[in-house]
Amino acid sequence: MTCNRCENPAAYTRKYSGEKLCSQCFSKSIVKKTAKTISKYKMIKHDELVAVAVSGGKDSLALLKVIHEMSLTHNFRIKVITIDEGIPGYRNEALEIVKKVCNELSVEYKIYSYKDLFELTLDEALDLRENEKTSSCSMCGTFRRRAMDYAAKDVGADLIATGHNLDDTLQTFVINMLSGDTTKVGWMNPDTSTNSLRKIKPFCEIYESEIVFYAFTNNLPFQSEPCPHMNEGIRTDIREFLNSLENQRSGIKNNLYQSIIKVSEVMKNSDLNSKNKTKCEKCGAECTGQICSVCTMVLKLKSNRT
């Protein structure tokens, strides 16, 4: 079986398209598809500084490699920001990998910890929550978003790039629908040009399985230890369900993604999604109430400590 683009042996088959590719042509296709997504949604502008959020996992390290490769031939700059949640025995491996890869690519990087920013590690925060109705993923996500916002401003970045892929988008959509949170569907559109701090997802049109193969075929080191809290939420169940559907009906993920983008566009421009944004009375961050969700959570957790 030979590659459809050259005469080398094929190493990967895209079931949804039937295309067979060798490792080199596959890697080039990922870079090209990422560049096309960036161009389509005008994600990166002339001479901007991109803060690439790198956790040490396969998605973020693959994104770093692709974005770094693009930055060598396009007029933008990159810096890496890494968030340390403070999970013992989990984040240490990832931090070493990020340091190694950034040094190899000669990319400047900086680490920001929950402890320094919020005076709480994730584990300490989980111990202080009143009950487990507030999941670890929910708490971590709230802290992470604020930490990335701070980090991007600290390094002087114009925007943040994350390694979220197509599968992540599908899972988040299903979670929002199952929880009845339709407002957030309007926030899922890849076009973030109207946001005060733009957050882009250059891999948003690429399957997770393709990111995995890209990481392996390019010999990228990535964190082997899974997050100890990963199975506490419903996301894993949804991931397995969608993967099962894709295995039975190739291309169904692409179809669902296109539907999500159309629905998101409608919701984004809907009156249901229009909330007046103000500044948090505590930290000054943009929010829709008097106090932002991060400050509300931190204040509540600290009150539980005393």
Side-chain angles (χ1 to χ4, degrees):
M1 186 170 65
T2 58
C3 175
N4 292 149
R5 301 188 185 185
C6 70
E7 297 302 318
N8 291 325
Y12 188 90
T13 300
R14 285 195 171 112
K15 292 183 179 180
Y16 59 82
S17 67
E19 190 175 25
K20 299 174 180 61
L21 300 170
C22 67
S23 294
Q24 187 175 13
C25 289
F26 174 83
S27 293
K28 287 180 180 178
S29 75
I30 294 297
V31 175
K32 184 177 180 180
K33 193 167 186 177
T34 304
K36 185 177 180 180
T37 299
I38 290 174
S39 176
K40 182 181 5 179
Y41 295 106
K42 298 179 176 60
M43 290 181 172
I44 304 175
K45 301 176 184 177
H46 177 76
D47 198 35
E48 285 192 314
L49 175 60
V50 182
V52 185
V54 181
S55 65
K58 63 184 184 321
D59 299 284
S60 61
L61 285 166
L63 177 65
L64 174 58
K65 179 174 172 57
V66 171
I67 289 288
H68 175 261
E69 184 176 328
M70 292 178 60
S71 72
L72 299 178
T73 56
H74 294 73
N75 197 4
F76 67 85
R77 297 156 290 132
I78 65 173
K79 287 185 180 179
V80 166
I81 56 174
T82 297
I83 309 303
D84 178 8
E85 310 91 345
I87 304 175
Y90 166 66
R91 185 49 71 194
N92 295 344
E93 178 193 14
L95 296 179
E96 286 301 315
I97 292 172
V98 172
K99 178 181 178 180
K100 178 178 181 292
V101 173
C102 287
N103 287 337
E104 289 175 352
L105 297 176
S106 298
V107 174
E108 183 180 337
Y109 73 98
K110 193 168 182 180
I111 299 170
Y112 299 83
S113 70
Y114 284 2
K115 188 70 172 179
D116 290 339
L117 295 176
F118 311 117
E119 299 179 5
L120 290 166
T121 66
L122 178 62
D123 280 14
E124 289 171 343
L126 292 176
D127 288 340
L128 292 171
R129 61 182 169 176
E130 291 182 335
N131 56 63
E132 294 187 3
K133 287 185 178 179
T134 304
S135 70
S136 54
C137 290
S138 174
M139 294 180 69
C140 188
T142 300
F143 285 143
R144 182 184 298 279
R145 285 188 290 274
R146 176 55 54 80
M148 287 198 300
D149 289 353
Y150 175 86
K153 292 177 182 177
D154 186 55
V155 301
D158 298 290
L159 66 154
I160 302 171
T162 64
H164 293 90
N165 54 54
L166 182 144
D167 292 61
D168 293 320
T169 301
L170 305 190
Q171 294 157 21
T172 300
F173 174 78
V174 175
I175 289 171
N176 289 336
M177 297 305 289
L178 291 176
S179 62
D181 200 345
T182 55
T183 299
K184 288 183 180 177
V185 175
W187 305 348
M188 299 181 70
N189 194 288
D191 182 3
T192 60
S193 57
T194 59
N195 293 13
S196 56
L197 176 61
R198 294 181 355 256
K199 296 178 181 178
I200 64 171
K201 302 173 183 177
F203 282 168
C204 66
E205 298 181 329
I206 302 177
Y207 278 27
E208 181 181 27
S209 57
E210 295 194 1
I211 302 301
V212 172
F213 188 75
Y214 178 88
F216 275 113
T217 199
N218 284 277
N219 297 314
L220 287 177
F222 57 86
Q223 186 170 26
S224 59
E225 188 71 23
C227 175
H229 305 291
M230 69 174 292
N231 291 322
E232 292 179 21
I234 196 173
R235 185 174 290 269
T236 298
D237 295 330
I238 294 171
R239 176 189 289 110
E240 292 174 355
F241 169 68
L242 292 172
N243 284 341
S244 175
L245 284 179
E246 180 68 24
N247 288 334
Q248 297 173 49
R249 299 171 177 83
S250 296
I252 201 167
K253 286 182 181 179
N254 273 324
N255 294 342
L256 178 56
Y257 177 79
Q258 294 304 321
S259 297
I260 290 170
I261 297 306
K262 292 175 183 176
V263 172
S264 178
E265 185 66 30
V266 173
M267 288 298 299
K268 185 179 181 181
N269 299 319
S270 167
D271 291 339
L272 296 173
N273 200 51
S274 59
K275 291 185 178 180
N276 293 324
K277 292 184 178 180
T278 59
K279 289 189 179 292
C280 174
E281 294 177 356
K282 297 290 183 181
C283 68
E286 196 175 71
C287 63
T288 55
Q290 291 182 318
I291 301 178
C292 70
S293 59
V294 179
C295 288
T296 300
M297 183 178 290
V298 171
L299 290 171
K300 182 63 176 176
L301 291 171
K302 287 182 177 178
S303 68
N304 292 342
R305 176 189 278 171
T306 56

